[in-house]
Amino acid sequence: MVRWIMVLLFALAILLFVVAFVVTRIENSQYAENKSYKDKWSGAELRETTTAIVVFSRSGNTGVLADHIANKTGGDVYEILAEKYQLGIPGLVSALNDARSDVAEITPAQIDLTQYDIVYLGSPIWLYSPATPLWQFVKNNDFTSKHVVLFNTFNSKFEQHFIDEFEALVRSKGAISFTHQYVKRGRMGGQISSQELTQRFDEKYDNESVSEIVGDSDEQQ
């Protein structure tokens, strides 16, 4: 009996390793594709802006969307890095283990957002909630008088109560309005391309102007 249990545990361990290996191969492939797509936006003219885009992105999907938003709004992009969640099996395991946490080591921990009126905050969805590093960023920073837009990409779905909790945290840090924007990428192995990702985002939100984002602040306080 003990022998059969050991065999089953060994088989399960092998299965989990294979799944993690396949997922990380897909993520690395996505990262390479997204980097190539992102490079198309490089060299854009810098200009004064009142919009900031802050993003955490493991495989680059949400990063592509961040650059797309920056291209549309003329905003500044800031990337959050979290070494613990780098691509690879250890990073994937850490992301799954910490998906319900709001504590992470991130770089930069703080950004001076004083000049900005609108702040986009982007991340993938981890187990139905915005990724852990984004929660930590909000806890570390001041959003007084800011209009905040959370944007996410995800494989399956998000749960609204996590979005509501994120909104509550953002408002506790001084934000005067909150909007949620998102695009479903699809399951591993069948995800939409970077171009389709940005196209779907535009189809959903092109009619949502800056004035509409900031116009409901009094009602949402």
Side-chain angles (χ1 to χ4, degrees):
M1 183 66 178
V2 173
R3 180 183 177 184
W4 279 109
I5 292 175
M6 294 298 293
V7 169
L8 287 173
L9 290 175
F10 182 70
L12 179 60
I14 292 177
L15 177 62
L16 291 174
F17 177 81
V18 169
V19 170
F21 178 77
V22 170
V23 170
T24 54
R25 285 290 298 272
I26 293 173
E27 287 181 333
N28 278 287
S29 176
Q30 290 177 338
Y31 179 82
E33 177 188 348
N34 289 330
K35 186 178 186 303
S36 175
Y37 187 87
K38 179 178 179 179
D39 288 344
K40 296 178 182 178
W41 301 109
S42 63
E45 182 182 354
L46 296 177
R47 50 191 169 183
E48 291 187 5
T49 179
T50 57
T51 300
I53 300 97
V54 181
V55 61
F56 169 76
S57 183
R58 286 191 71 240
S59 56
N61 290 299
T62 315
V64 164
L65 189 54
D67 287 334
H68 182 66
I69 293 171
N71 184 63
K72 292 167 67 68
T73 64
D76 293 332
V77 177
Y78 298 91
E79 183 178 11
I80 301 171
L81 300 177
E83 185 176 354
K84 185 178 181 181
Y85 308 119
Q86 288 184 349
L87 290 180
I89 293 178
L92 175 63
V93 172
S94 294
L96 291 173
N97 285 339
D98 296 350
R100 287 290 182 267
S101 173
D102 61 0
V103 177
E105 293 185 9
I106 60 173
T107 304
Q110 293 181 311
I111 294 174
D112 184 1
L113 300 172
T114 305
Q115 77 178 75
Y116 304 110
D117 297 326
I118 301 174
V119 180
Y120 284 82
L121 299 174
S123 81
I125 293 291
W126 287 358
L127 295 183
Y128 316 129
S129 173
T132 306
L134 201 62
W135 290 84
Q136 183 66 65
F137 181 81
V138 174
K139 292 198 304 180
N140 290 353
N141 286 270
D142 180 18
F143 295 90
T144 299
S145 301
K146 309 301 180 189
H147 301 279
V148 172
V149 182
L150 170 66
F151 66 99
N152 301 117
T153 64
F154 53 91
N155 296 340
S156 58
K157 66 176 184 176
F158 61 86
E159 291 187 356
Q160 187 59 44
H161 71 93
F162 289 122
I163 306 303
D164 294 342
E165 291 171 14
F166 190 87
E167 177 181 358
L169 177 61
V170 168
R171 288 185 178 278
S172 75
K173 302 294 289 186
I176 57 175
S177 73
F178 178 87
T179 305
H180 186 209
Q181 300 179 346
Y182 54 89
V183 178
K184 182 176 180 178
R185 301 192 311 264
R187 294 289 187 177
M188 285 288 185
Q191 293 187 352
I192 60 177
S193 68
S194 297
Q195 184 175 2
E196 289 177 295
L197 179 72
T198 56
Q199 286 176 344
R200 292 191 184 184
F201 181 84
D202 289 346
E203 288 170 1
K204 292 183 71 173
Y205 302 112
D206 250 4
N207 292 328
E208 190 166 310
S209 65
V210 170
S211 61
E212 288 172 320
I213 290 174
V214 304
D216 295 334
S217 59
D218 290 338
E219 297 178 10
Q220 296 183 39
Q221 286 187 53

